[in-house]
Amino acid sequence: LTLDYPPRILDVLFHRGRLYGVGYPGLYTSDDFGRTWTVYKMPPKVMVVRTLAISNNTMYIATDMGQLM
């Protein structure tokens, strides 16, 4: 994974045994309580994901550009 800036996590949520984090460059997941992370990059126009929420098994993420995904 090649990045323009250092990776960072801005918000974390625990749901059904998995940690979800958001930041740069996108969505992070961890199944071992944060020891290791898998990173899912966002589409090219999304630089930073700011926050996330889960409701009725649907994840919502908000970006630094005001997008809700």
Side-chain angles (χ1 to χ4, degrees):
L1 184 62
T2 302
L3 302 174
D4 296 328
Y5 305 98
R8 63 185 181 270
I9 295 177
L10 301 173
D11 194 11
V12 175
L13 181 96
F14 187 76
H15 181 70
R16 295 190 175 183
R18 177 176 281 173
L19 274 174
Y20 295 91
V22 292
Y24 175 77
L27 175 68
Y28 295 75
T29 62
S30 176
D31 292 319
D32 59 9
F33 301 102
R35 268 181 266 160
T36 60
W37 293 91
T38 301
V39 181
Y40 301 91
K41 287 181 73 172
M42 293 288 109
K45 293 193 181 222
V46 176
M47 279 294 289
V48 179
V49 180
R50 294 287 175 186
T51 191
L52 76 158
I54 297 176
S55 177
N56 297 324
N57 291 323
T58 300
M59 180 181 292
Y60 300 93
I61 56 175
T63 72
D64 63 340
M65 299 179 72
Q67 298 163 308
L68 183 63
M69 304 170 111

